[in-house]
Amino acid sequence: MNFESIKVDFDVIVVGAGHAGIEACLSISRRGLKTLVVTSNKSRIGYMSCNPSIGGLAKGHIVREIDILGGEMARTADATCIQFKRLNGRKGPAVRGSRTQNDKHLYCESMIQTLSQQENLSIIESEVKSIIIKNNKCVGVILSDGSEIFSLRTIITTGTFMNGVMHIGLKQEAGGRVGDKPSLGLSDQLASFGFSVKRLKTGTPARLIRDSIDWSKTIPQYGDDRFYPFSIHSKAKYSLPQVACYLSRTNEKTHEIIRKNLDKSPMYCGVIEGVGPRYCPSIEDKVVRFSDKDSHQTFLEPEGLTTDLIYLQGISTSLPEDVQMEFLKTIPGLENVKVARLGYAVEYDYIEPTQIWHRLETRGIEGLFLAGQINGTSGYEEAAAQGLIAGINAANSILEKEEFILNRDEAYIGVLIDDLVTKGTREPYRMFTSRAEHRLILREDNTADRLFNRSLNIGLHNENIIKLLEKQKKQRAEFLNRLKTTKIYPDAATQEKLQSLGTSVLLKSITFEELLRRNEITSSMLSSFNFEINEDPNVNESVEIEVKYSGYIKRQMELIEQTRRLEELNLSELLNYSEIKGLSNEEIEKLAKIRPRTLGQAQRISGVNPSAIQAIMVYLKGKNKKMREMEVGIHQ
């Protein structure tokens, strides 16, 4: 084949149209680049294979970050929300998280419509069998019918479909989910190029028929009256009717049936080799690992407003059909349950993520980007975030712009990608607030302040949204300034109001900022002292948190500044670690494999000790000194 004469068909080809593929293709086409999405099933673009919900602890942060950077997930989640909850609402602001229960069919339909109407974006229904490589560069893909499509960049977002196998008991069937075929050939080809390809496992619970459930034996769980939308595009009111979810629990009878049939579970008899998600275990795992517990809770969650299907959250399983039916009927409310689809496990290939750069381009093949579960992550939000970053960087490389990389102190997305690239993963990676060392700075409420300027450099927002963000930023600054400069005086009326609010009286005049620092005072209470407040939670909530936690935030910023000095010490991709004295063989091997971008990233690699960081610093100082001496000699 003469590659020199090839006509490029598209700027970027995106393989897959799940949550990662959607963000990738939209972020590219919206910047005017000709984009193609290849999906095996057009009717399942953005399909929620598992729980029909978006957000949660730490995941809600990611959804807001995607939105501020110009992504799509937040808008669609808001528009299709059928229940909203702010998790950990009574705890500190760093660990609060927004979560929506969504109508999965409307979510899917909305994403199909969005992609179908997008300029510069084409969609074809086919399967990519292999990628086309020339001189270590990806130049296109080959479809199942043998046709070749050429591009400048390619992004693979295959989810759980690469060599996907579904397990129910000891029965196996090829597929990435029920109703969809697996993606065959790609992972074998990547392995032949030298990539480390491994196996992971995930699972899903049974889907139940609504009318077969005795709801009187369950406990209703309602959403919040107040809606805090994920997206800056959305209004703070519900678009759809809100529904309840319902709580029930397993019991000792349930557990006994499961224990008795573990020999029929593909996980416990060696059929499944892939590692499952530790933080979202199957019911088999729960019964074995937490044998001291006599029950586990399960939430019965509607999959939409017009479907009779109920998602049995927390009861994912791969036990045989008859065993599933037996133990399901021991759960209160499910004694006469009818099942639309039983639970099953999916085993699939992923690429060890230490083989990609922070921009999500592979180290081994130029122009090839990976995003989503192919990098070992779990969850819609983590996938969407990677798709967005891969899309931004694929476009940037074509438009000859700098790579777009978020730091750990800027965004949860930065933590996610840095963890994957630096540490890799041996199990499906899920984001938690505890993974972020700077989580007090990375709050949901200050997402716009953290990422607004970064988003301007991408160019995915229209002029109206930019003006809205600028307006809110200005209003927050004005509100904070008035709190700092306006005083409240200890007159009789003030003292009486303070007592009625359950807080101590004043001994002297103080600023409203000092008053707001009191635990029992909220920004909404300030209006009773004739202090004008902005009703927009995007303004007052963020400022209130900033004031109340100012001491902690100041200390966190000092730590970030110290860390940033290490992050600013860049390491060359060509650095020969074997030349550095004081490094162990293990440290040399890991540093050479991962090729950290900065000294800060090198510090986070498992097995690289503080003494190694010192050795690298000494080496770089010595090398820089020699370079300066050489420059002086040349000029003389």
Side-chain angles (χ1 to χ4, degrees):
M1 182 183 294
N2 181 10
F3 285 98
E4 300 302 327
S5 61
I6 288 173
K7 179 181 180 294
V8 174
D9 303 296
F10 293 90
D11 291 308
V12 184
I13 296 172
V14 178
V15 182
H19 303 281
I22 286 169
E23 300 297 348
C25 71
L26 290 176
S27 65
I28 298 162
S29 56
R30 286 171 175 171
R31 296 174 76 182
L33 297 177
K34 193 178 178 184
T35 311
L36 172 68
V37 174
V38 183
T39 175
S40 61
N41 192 337
K42 282 185 179 181
S43 67
R44 289 198 169 188
I45 290 173
Y47 188 75
M48 293 178 165
S49 305
C50 204
N51 194 353
S53 71
I54 298 291
L57 302 179
K59 290 170 175 279
H61 296 68
I62 289 176
V63 179
R64 289 179 187 273
E65 290 171 358
I66 290 169
D67 185 64
I68 292 297
L69 294 173
E72 189 65 31
M73 174 175 270
R75 273 187 275 189
T76 307
D78 289 340
T80 61
C81 170
I82 56 175
Q83 188 188 90
F84 170 81
K85 277 192 174 183
R86 176 173 271 191
L87 307 179
N88 283 349
R90 295 180 181 178
K91 294 186 178 180
V95 295
R96 295 173 193 161
S98 299
R99 178 186 184 273
T100 57
Q101 187 73 19
N102 296 89
D103 186 310
K104 69 185 299 179
H105 302 296
L106 290 179
Y107 188 97
C108 186
E109 288 171 10
S110 178
M111 285 301 191
I112 291 171
Q113 185 177 28
T114 298
L115 266 62
S116 300
Q117 295 175 348
Q118 178 59 46
E119 293 182 10
N120 308 310
L121 180 60
S122 301
I123 307 169
I124 63 171
E125 190 170 88
S126 185
E127 183 188 344
V128 171
K129 301 301 287 186
S130 61
I131 55 177
I132 305 171
I133 305 297
K134 177 203 172 185
N135 298 331
N136 240 28
K137 182 175 181 179
C138 184
V139 296
V141 302
I142 300 175
L143 303 182
S144 55
D145 64 2
S147 59
E148 299 174 338
I149 307 176
F150 294 93
S151 63
L152 299 176
R153 304 289 184 272
T154 300
I155 303 174
I156 299 179
T157 68
T158 46
T160 62
F161 285 78
M162 283 210 312
N163 283 344
V165 176
M166 297 180 292
H167 299 263
I168 300 181
L170 302 182
K171 293 194 302 185
Q172 299 176 28
E173 182 182 340
R177 65 181 170 219
V178 167
D180 289 311
K181 296 177 181 178
S183 173
L184 303 174
L186 267 179
S187 57
D188 293 336
Q189 186 188 19
L190 290 171
S192 73
F193 293 143
F195 286 94
S196 174
V197 180
K198 298 178 180 177
R199 297 287 274 176
L200 287 177
K201 169 258 174 188
T202 188
T204 190
R207 304 314 197 266
L208 314 178
I209 304 296
R210 183 193 302 268
D211 292 342
S212 68
I213 298 169
D214 184 350
W215 297 103
S216 66
K217 295 182 179 180
T218 66
I219 303 170
Q221 306 286 304
Y222 299 101
D224 297 347
D225 292 331
R226 188 170 186 180
F227 181 44
Y228 293 88
F230 285 122
S231 178
I232 51 175
H233 297 263
S234 305
K235 294 181 179 179
K237 62 180 182 180
Y238 294 114
S239 301
L240 297 175
Q242 299 298 286
V243 302
C245 296
Y246 296 84
L247 175 65
S248 189
R249 302 191 72 91
T250 64
N251 50 58
E252 185 51 40
K253 193 174 180 181
T254 317
H255 298 180
E256 182 55 34
I257 293 169
I258 292 169
R259 280 193 293 266
K260 191 172 61 178
N261 289 281
L262 285 175
D263 61 327
K264 300 172 187 173
S265 167
M267 289 188 304
Y268 283 89
C269 62
V271 174
I272 291 180
E273 298 175 1
V275 180
R278 189 190 340 168
Y279 303 105
C280 189
S282 66
I283 189 61
E284 296 99 290
D285 263 347
K286 289 180 181 178
V287 169
V288 173
R289 284 166 48 191
F290 309 108
S291 56
D292 57 318
K293 292 196 172 185
D294 56 12
S295 74
H296 296 283
Q297 67 180 19
T298 177
F299 289 97
L300 284 72
E301 300 174 334
E303 291 205 336
L305 298 175
T306 58
T307 177
D308 62 351
L309 295 186
I310 301 295
Y311 180 90
L312 193 60
Q313 198 262 354
I315 310 289
S316 67
T317 180
S318 55
L319 285 164
E321 292 98 326
D322 58 333
V323 179
Q324 288 192 44
M325 289 305 303
E326 186 181 1
F327 82 67
L328 283 174
K329 292 186 176 184
T330 66
I331 298 173
L334 306 186
E335 292 85 354
N336 298 302
V337 73
K338 293 180 181 178
V339 176
R341 192 178 77 223
L342 290 161
Y344 60 93
V346 181
E347 195 177 15
Y348 59 95
D349 287 349
Y350 80 106
I351 306 301
E352 173 58 50
T354 54
Q355 300 167 106
I356 55 177
W357 301 109
H358 280 76
R359 59 182 175 270
L360 299 186
E361 185 177 18
T362 63
R363 296 169 187 258
I365 300 174
E366 184 185 346
L368 178 65
F369 294 76
L370 308 180
Q373 285 175 287
I374 191 173
N375 289 332
T377 57
S378 170
Y380 310 142
E381 303 83 2
E382 291 90 340
Q386 293 172 73
L388 178 64
I389 299 302
I392 291 168
N393 280 308
N396 278 6
S397 64
I398 294 171
L399 298 171
E400 298 183 346
K401 294 192 173 189
E402 289 185 359
E403 61 183 6
F404 182 83
I405 294 170
L406 293 168
N407 296 321
R408 296 180 70 90
D409 60 3
E410 287 183 295
Y412 271 88
I413 297 175
V415 175
L416 164 69
I417 294 175
D418 186 63
D419 277 355
L420 292 173
V421 174
T422 305
K423 303 173 184 176
T425 187
R426 295 291 179 270
E427 63 185 11
Y429 179 101
R430 179 179 179 179
M431 180 53 72
F432 293 98
T433 54
S434 58
R435 294 192 190 272
E437 62 271 37
H438 306 304
R439 57 185 171 274
L440 185 55
I441 304 301
L442 306 180
R443 308 185 307 273
E444 279 193 346
D445 66 89
N446 71 349
T447 310
D449 286 334
R450 289 188 277 119
L451 297 175
F452 174 56
N453 289 336
R454 298 298 307 272
S455 71
L456 290 179
N457 294 328
I458 303 170
L460 288 173
H461 286 309
N462 62 40
E463 196 62 34
N464 290 335
I465 291 300
I466 292 172
K467 286 180 180 178
L468 174 62
L469 288 169
E470 287 175 337
K471 178 184 176 183
Q472 288 179 350
K473 185 176 181 180
K474 182 180 178 183
Q475 288 175 329
R476 284 192 290 271
E478 289 174 348
F479 183 30
L480 182 59
N481 183 60
R482 285 195 298 112
L483 287 170
K484 289 175 179 289
T485 57
T486 310
K487 289 194 171 185
I488 180 170
Y489 297 92
D491 55 48
T494 296
Q495 305 289 46
E496 185 179 343
K497 286 176 184 174
L498 289 171
Q499 287 180 320
S500 69
L501 293 173
T503 188
S504 57
V505 297
L506 299 179
L507 300 178
K508 60 176 182 178
S509 62
I510 60 173
T511 64
F512 275 92
E513 180 189 27
E514 292 173 294
L515 179 63
L516 188 55
R517 283 200 192 118
R518 296 183 177 186
N519 289 335
E520 55 275 7
I521 299 296
T522 64
S523 58
S524 61
M525 295 177 180
L526 301 183
S527 57
S528 62
F529 299 98
N530 296 320
F531 185 91
E532 185 181 349
I533 63 167
N534 191 311
E535 296 296 332
D536 185 353
N538 290 308
V539 175
N540 62 52
E541 182 179 284
S542 181
V543 173
E544 180 177 334
I545 292 169
E546 200 78 28
V547 168
K548 287 187 180 295
Y549 292 86
S550 57
Y552 299 104
I553 291 171
K554 182 181 178 182
R555 285 197 289 275
Q556 188 114 107
M557 292 305 296
E558 289 169 353
L559 289 172
I560 288 173
E561 190 56 40
Q562 293 172 18
T563 305
R564 197 168 283 162
R565 290 172 197 151
L566 286 177
E567 297 295 344
E568 288 172 354
L569 290 171
N570 293 319
L571 300 177
S572 169
E573 292 180 11
L574 303 176
L575 185 60
N576 186 353
Y577 290 100
S578 62
E579 291 182 355
I580 302 175
K581 295 179 180 179
L583 297 183
S584 69
N585 289 334
E586 181 191 2
E587 288 166 339
I588 292 170
E589 183 182 341
K590 288 189 172 181
L591 288 162
K593 178 184 176 183
I594 294 173
R595 292 281 164 197
R597 295 172 57 254
T598 68
L599 203 58
Q601 187 193 348
Q603 189 179 42
R604 293 189 291 275
I605 298 173
S606 176
V608 175
N609 298 308
S611 60
I613 302 301
Q614 291 295 324
I616 296 171
M617 290 178 71
V618 170
Y619 174 81
L620 293 176
K621 285 179 181 177
K623 198 167 187 179
N624 289 337
K625 183 180 179 183
K626 285 182 181 178
M627 290 293 292
R628 286 194 297 270
E629 288 173 351
M630 287 174 64
E631 289 174 1
V632 171
I634 290 170
H635 290 302
Q636 287 177 344

